[in-house]
C-alpha cells in the first residue's frame, strides 16, 4: 500500500528545516531506524554530503538516522532495501538528471508503489507526479526526459504562489505558466502552497495543512480545493 | 555586421505592447518595409495568427508591416530573405522546440550574424544567448536541446527580478537559481531588468534603458552594470 508524504516545501517562513512536518514524519517513518536520503537536487549547489548532514540534523530530533544514497555502491539496491526514503528539494532539473544518470527512476517509482514510506519536499515532491513539467526551477542541466515517477496520477506545482496584484513586474504569473502548460498537455496540475502536503495512503490522497490548494485542468477554470479533501479523483 | 536589439520585456508596466521601444525600433528597422515575425513562443498559448496580429498592430505605428513565419511554406528561406526579424516572448521551451522542429535554429543564428536586423523580447532575447538555461519559464514541452543561437557570447535572464526582502515565500530567488546554474556551468549570465535592452552593433554590445543590469559569473560575486556600458567584454 502506497505510503507517501508530498510536501510543497521543506521549510515554512520563520521555521527550521522540516520543523513543521516533524510530528507527521514521526508517524510516517515510525517503523524506520534509518531512512535513505536522496540529496541529488543540491539546493544552492551544496554537496551531497552537506545536504545529507542537514537532513540528518532534522531527523535526529525524531530519532531517525539518515544515510545518503551517494554513500552506497549500488543505488538500485539502496532504494530496494530502504526502510524509508526522503528526497529533498533544490533543482528539479539536477535531481531528475541524476535519477536517470544513475538509472534509478524506475526502481524508485516501483519501490514507492510497493509501499516503502516516502517523503518528498519541493523537487522531491515534483517527481511524484507524471512529469516534472510544472517545476518552477531553472533548466540548469538537460535531463534525458521530463518524465518522473508517476506515483500519483497528476502533476505538482510546489511553492504555489498566488498572483501579486500589486506587482508592476510583467513576467508571467504562476497561473499563466500552468495555463500555457495546458495549451500542450492534458495532465492535471495541483498547486500546493507552502505548508500544504498530500498524504497518500494506498489509493487515498488527502490534502493536509492549513491552506487550500489550487487545481488546474485543461480547458477548465482553476478551482480551490479545501484542506482534508480526498483528491484521489484527480486524474 | 550584427545589428540586434535584445530586450528584457516587450511591455513595461502601464505601457502598450512594444510602446517604450518604438522610437528605437523605428531606427533599428529603418530599411525594412516588412519584418518577419516568429510567433512560436505563444504567450498564454495564443495562436500564431493572433500573436502575429498583435505584433502587426504595434509595428503599424512605425509603418512597418509584419508577416508571420507560419505564413511561409519554407521557414528557412523566409529567414534568409527577411529584411528584419522579430521573435516575440512567451514560452522559451515552446519557442526553442519549434525552432528545432522546423530545423531553423542554425539558419536563424547565421542570418543574425550576417547582419539582418533582429529584435528579441523576453523568450526571443533568451535565444540570443548560448543556451536557454536561464529562462524563467516552465518546462511545458521537451525541446531536443537547450542550445540556442549564440549570437552573443553569454546568457540572458530576462525580466530579472531582485529578491523581495519582505517576502515570506521560501521558493528560490532569481539570484539563487542563477547561482545554482553556475554550480554546473561556466557561461556568464546577464540579468536584464524590465525596461533594459542590449543594443548590439557588430562586436559592440551596449546596455540601454534607465536601469542597471546584474552580471553573474561562476565563482564571482554578482555585480551591477550601469546603463550605457559596453558589455562586449563579457564572455
Amino acid at each position: 500500500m502506497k505510503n507517501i508524504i508530498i510536501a510543497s516545501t521543506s521549510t515554512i517562513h520563520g521555521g527550521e528545516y522540516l520543523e513543521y512536518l516533524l510530528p507527521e514524519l514521526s508517524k510516517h517513518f515510525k517503523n524506520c531506524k534509518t531512512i535513505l536520503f536522496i540529496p541529488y537536487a543540491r539546493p544552492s549547489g551544496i554537496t551531497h554530503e552537506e545536504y545529507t548532514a542537514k537532513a540528518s540534523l532534522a531527523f535526529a530530533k525524531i530519532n531517525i538516522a539518515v544515510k545518503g544514497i551517494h554513500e552506497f555502491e549500488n543505488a538500485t539496491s539502496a532504494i530496494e532495501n530502504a526502510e524509508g526514503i526522503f528526497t529533498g528539494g533544490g533543482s528539479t532539473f539536477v535531481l531528475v538528471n541524476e535519477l536517470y544518470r544513475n538509472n534509478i527512476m524506475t526502481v524508485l517509482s516501483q519501490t514507492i508503489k510497493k509501499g516503502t514510506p516516502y517523503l518528498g519536499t519541493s523537487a522531491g515532491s515534483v517527481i511524484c507526479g507524471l512529469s516534472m513539467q510544472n517545476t518552477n526551477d531553472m533548466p540548469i542541466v538537460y535531463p534525458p526526459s521530463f518524465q518522473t515517477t508517476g506515483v500519483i496520477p497528476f502533476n505538482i506545482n510546489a511553492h504555489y504562489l498566488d498572483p501579486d496584484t500589486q506587482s508592476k513586474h510583467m513576467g508571467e504569473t504562476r497561473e499563466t505558466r500552468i495555463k500555457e502548460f495546458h495549451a500542450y498537455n492534458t495532465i492535471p496540475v495541483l498547486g500546493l502552497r507552502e505548508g500544504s502536503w498530500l498524504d497518500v495512503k494506498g489509493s487515498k490522497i488527502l490534502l493536509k495543512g492549513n491552506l487550500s490548494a489550487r487545481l488546474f485542468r485543461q480547458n477548465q477554470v482553476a478551482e480551490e480545493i479545501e484542506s482534508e479533501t480526498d483528491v484521489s479523483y484527480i486524474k
Side-chain angles (χ1 to χ4, degrees), chain A residues 197 204-209 211 225-231:
Chain A
W197 70 92
K204 197 168 178 175
I205 309 178
L206 267 190
L207 174 63
K208 306 290 285 184
L211 303 168
I225 308 280
E226 294 307 313
S227 183
E228 300 296 333
T229 302
D230 180 349
V231 295

Side-chain angles (χ1 to χ4, degrees), chain A residues 35 38 73-74 82 94 117 128 137 169 172 183-184 186 188 191 199 214 216:
Chain A
I35 60 168
I38 302 180
E73 243 177 70
N74 186 323
V94 175
C128 291
D137 297 337
H169 188 72
E172 289 88 346
Y184 309 97
T186 59
D199 186 88
R214 197 159 177 84
F216 301 88

